[in-house]
Amino acid sequence: MDSEINFILNDQEIQTRINPSTVLLDYIRKEKKLTGTKEVCKEGDCGACSVLLGELSQEGLKYKTINSCIFPIQKIHGKHVVTVEGINQINLNVIQQEFVNQGASQCGFCTPGFIISLIGYLLNSKKLNYDEMINSISGNICRCTGYNSIKKSVSNIINQINSFKLNNYNKLDNLIESNILPKYFLEIEQKLAKINSKIIDNLEFHKNIQPIFISGGTDLFVQKPDVLLKSNVNFNNIIPKSKISQIDSNLIIHSSTTIEELKDYFLKNLANLNFTKLFKLFASKQIRNSATIGGNIVNASPIADLAITLLALNAKVNLINSKNEYRTIDLDKFYLNYKKCNMNNDEIIDTISFPITKSHQIFNFEK
């Protein structure tokens, strides 16, 4: 069953009905003919398909990089999608120009993804840092140019932006003032607010058919993309304002929390637990921006780093069914077999919780 999707693609407002399992990359390239976003691995590994996704939050409009090749179009409902065409202007911006200056592009297939990832870093960084900026493109692979020229470009980009001596505190204004982003970005937050005010919910499905609720789906779109297109699924976007909370010495994490959101929370609030190594080795930033803790757990894969870690932390899974009834089960009792979980057909994961490590205890992750 098709779903109604309202969003902004670059500077164009879009309203369409489409299969919710259609991956964003296919819509961008096949429907809108925006071929700057490349299709290469179709598995979320190479980053050539990277786009920016803007979403309204309590702090305003926030952008992140995602792999459009494994991102369901239903999850862009009420959001802003930016492809490489959406940042192009009459003249090359400082990032594009430095890639030209340093010969950081040969065949060009990977280049749009690198450009998008670097702009994503600039949108989210308070102070430019070379190592952090390099890490922001760790999910982008180049097979022909070699990375030295790309590293030189990054260094020069930082030097040039620092030389602009911008005084405006607003990050978006800074990037527009320095011609890194087009001026239409100034209107996006207001337009998204208008679109979202008309969105009641996102739960369209057949009354007599129980849909399959999917959270991140980063692994499913690699393994079963054709099956998803033929299935009645819903990529649930109705999520709480506060995804992570601490109650009675327990950390409560909503299943929709992305790995990157969890990483940021630990860095800001629980740095003493030292989860740095876990998140550093957890896929790429684009994947961490899409993959969720609920999806990672219910996937029931023995190679899931997060599941193994949560087992060691004596985590509990809190389930909710179609009647809004709750059931709590220990994570070590949740897994019955490979890809098989202790869940009823009408249950989904609501939250995951575990006791916060005491100050005298030590947490360490090895891979």
Side-chain angles (χ1 to χ4, degrees), residues 350-364:
D350 182 46
T351 61
I352 296 90
S353 61
F354 62 88
I356 299 173
T357 309
K358 301 295 188 298
S359 59
H360 65 277
Q361 292 178 313
I362 297 172
F363 171 85
N364 187 47

Side-chain angles (χ1 to χ4, degrees), residues 311-325:
L311 279 167
L313 293 171
N314 299 317
K316 296 181 182 295
V317 180
N318 307 297
L319 305 168
I320 185 172
N321 66 15
S322 57
K323 299 178 182 178
N324 286 328
E325 297 171 336

Side-chain angles (χ1 to χ4, degrees), residues 165-324:
K165 296 180 181 179
L166 299 169
N167 297 317
N168 195 322
Y169 180 76
N170 185 284
K171 177 62 69 173
L172 192 58
D173 287 345
N174 278 345
L175 295 178
I176 293 170
E177 186 181 342
S178 55
N179 296 317
I180 293 174
L181 290 177
K183 291 182 179 180
Y184 78 81
F185 270 79
L186 291 173
E187 303 171 358
I188 296 300
E189 185 168 355
Q190 184 178 357
K191 288 183 177 180
L192 284 184
K194 186 176 180 180
I195 291 174
N196 280 273
S197 68
K198 299 177 182 178
I199 296 175
I200 299 174
D201 61 49
N202 200 24
L203 300 179
E204 286 189 78
F205 47 83
H206 295 297
K207 292 181 179 179
N208 299 321
I209 302 175
Q210 181 69 34
I212 301 170
F213 288 93
I214 298 174
S215 191
T218 51
D219 192 31
L220 283 176
F221 278 102
V222 174
Q223 296 189 28
K224 303 177 179 180
D226 295 332
V227 174
L228 288 171
L229 286 169
K230 299 174 183 177
S231 304
N232 183 38
V233 300
N234 187 279
F235 299 90
N236 191 6
N237 271 339
I238 298 180
I239 54 179
K241 291 183 179 180
S242 178
K243 291 186 177 182
I244 308 173
S245 59
Q246 296 183 39
I247 303 175
D248 298 330
S249 299
N250 283 286
L251 193 66
I252 314 296
I253 310 165
H254 192 265
S255 60
S256 66
T257 304
T258 66
I259 307 302
E260 189 69 12
E261 288 170 337
L262 189 62
K263 172 193 168 202
D264 290 342
Y265 184 89
F266 270 92
L267 288 174
K268 294 176 183 177
N269 303 284
L270 295 169
N272 62 301
L273 293 189
N274 193 24
F275 272 68
T276 307
K277 284 200 293 184
L278 165 63
F279 293 117
K280 187 177 181 180
L281 294 172
F282 198 112
S284 66
K285 192 176 185 70
Q286 290 96 320
I287 294 293
R288 294 196 302 270
N289 278 331
S290 302
T292 65
I293 184 172
N296 194 255
I297 289 174
V298 81
N299 193 29
S301 170
I303 61 170
D305 291 341
L306 198 58
I308 296 298
T309 303
L310 291 171
L311 279 167
L313 293 171
N314 299 317
K316 296 181 182 295
V317 180
N318 307 297
L319 305 168
I320 185 172
N321 66 15
S322 57
K323 299 178 182 178
N324 286 328

